[in-house]
């Protein structure tokens, strides 16, 4: 009986070890593939900006500054108008990763973007429907799988070190630099099964939450003025109003 028990325990341990080895090997392969792709894209970035990088090195500079893109203007809508299609999400930034992406696969050109992984702490107002389509672009493998309470934000810009030189792509005119561990209120659209948050009006639709106050650098934008005039930039007052709306079925 003892012999049979020992054999059973031995088989169980071997089976568990095999499963662990298989899982570890699979994760290792995925990581290796991601590293290989990252290295390839960084080579494309280096080749694309070779003249800038070499010029910086000759001048003894440690960085190359690339200006941010100019975003197309969007209509300035009020909070009331935006809530017809967009949600109100309070999020906390829990991680970030800067990556290189290829603009057009057929042309050796690349740029820099920064991904932010966020936890959705609260949905003050829920959008009508969340698309369940798969994203047409690759998400950072290190952030996957996402928990139901997690989503991603992506912004053009960031820093990648190439041959000892920091290649800095500044954020676009409507971009936001999110601070890790900080909270934000976003008037935005959850897309691709909730995997990506799309702010409705660029940086004007992203409010830094500091001690329950909503802070924005876009004070002249209609949305920002609307929230300031209605709620005095107070998160609690905004939340209370959203609850009243929900109770009235609006």
């Amino acid at each position: 009986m003892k012999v049979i028990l020992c054999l059973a325990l031995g088989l169980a341990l071997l089976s568990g070890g095999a499963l662990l080895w298989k899982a570890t090997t699979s994760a290792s392969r995925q990581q290796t593939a991601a590293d290989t792709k990252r290295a390839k894209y960084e080579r494309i970035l280096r080749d694309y900006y070779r003249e800038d990088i070499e010029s910086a090195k000759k001048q003894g500079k440690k960085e190359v500054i690339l200006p941010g893109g100019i975003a197309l203007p969007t209509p300035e809508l009020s909070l009331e108008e935006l809530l017809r299609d967009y949600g109100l999400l309070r999020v906390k930034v829990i991680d970030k990763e800067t990556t290189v992406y290829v603009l057009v696969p057929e042309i050796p050109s690349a740029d820099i973007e920064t991904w932010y992984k966020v936890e959705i702490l609260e949905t003050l107002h829920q959008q009508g429907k969340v698309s369940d389509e798969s994203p047409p672009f690759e998400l950072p493998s290190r952030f996957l799988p996402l928990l139901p309470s997690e989503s991603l934000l992506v912004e053009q810009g960031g820093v990648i070190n190439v041959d000892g030189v920091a290649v800095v792509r500044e954020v676009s005119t409507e971009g936001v630099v999110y601070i890790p561990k900080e909270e934000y209120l976003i008037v935005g659209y959850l897309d691709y099964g909730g995997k990506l948050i799309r702010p409705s009006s660029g940086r004007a639709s992203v409010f830094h939450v500091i001690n329950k106050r909503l802070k924005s650098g876009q004070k002249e934008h209609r949305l920002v003025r609307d929230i300031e005039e209605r709620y005095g930039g107070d998160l609690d007052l905004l939340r209370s109003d959203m609850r009243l709306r929900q109770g009235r079925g609006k």
Side-chain angles (χ1 to χ4, degrees), residues 175-233:
V176 177
V177 177
Y178 296 90
I179 304 171
K181 299 183 180 180
E182 294 290 306
E183 292 185 15
Y184 297 86
L185 179 76
I186 301 176
V187 184
Y189 189 84
L190 272 173
D191 214 348
Y192 307 118
K195 293 183 176 65
L196 186 71
I197 300 173
R198 297 184 181 276
S200 65
S201 312
R203 63 196 309 177
S205 53
V206 178
F207 298 82
H208 196 178
V209 180
I210 303 175
N211 296 325
K212 297 186 178 182
R213 304 291 300 177
L214 303 174
K215 305 293 184 179
S216 172
Q218 303 291 99
K219 296 186 182 299
E220 299 306 313
H221 194 281
R222 183 178 179 185
L223 172 61
V224 178
R225 292 201 318 268
D226 203 8
I227 288 181
E228 182 61 35
E229 291 169 3
R230 287 188 179 206
Y231 312 106

Side-chain angles (χ1 to χ4, degrees), residues 92-134:
K92 181 177 182 179
V93 180
I94 54 179
D95 203 352
K96 76 171 186 175
E97 181 172 347
T98 303
T99 64
V100 175
Y101 67 98
V102 174
L103 300 172
V104 182
E106 294 77 14
I107 303 173
S109 61
D111 211 334
I112 301 169
E113 62 188 4
T114 299
W115 290 86
Y116 298 90
K117 184 177 184 178
V118 301
E119 179 184 1
I120 300 176
L121 302 175
E122 182 181 10
T123 301
L124 283 76
H125 175 79
Q126 192 165 6
Q127 70 189 53
K129 183 181 179 182
V130 178
S131 165
D132 58 0
E133 296 179 3
S134 299

Side-chain angles (χ1 to χ4, degrees), residues 131-200:
S131 165
D132 58 0
E133 296 179 3
S134 299
F137 42 80
E138 189 173 4
L139 303 177
S141 59
R142 188 170 68 83
F143 290 165
L144 303 177
L146 293 171
L147 297 175
S149 61
E150 295 175 340
S151 190
L152 300 176
L153 290 157
V154 62
E155 294 284 352
Q156 181 197 49
V159 183
I160 293 288
N161 289 306
V162 180
D163 296 341
V165 175
V167 180
V168 182
R169 166 67 75 186
E170 296 180 333
V171 297
S172 70
T173 53
E174 287 298 325
V176 177
V177 177
Y178 296 90
I179 304 171
K181 299 183 180 180
E182 294 290 306
E183 292 185 15
Y184 297 86
L185 179 76
I186 301 176
V187 184
Y189 189 84
L190 272 173
D191 214 348
Y192 307 118
K195 293 183 176 65
L196 186 71
I197 300 173
R198 297 184 181 276
S200 65

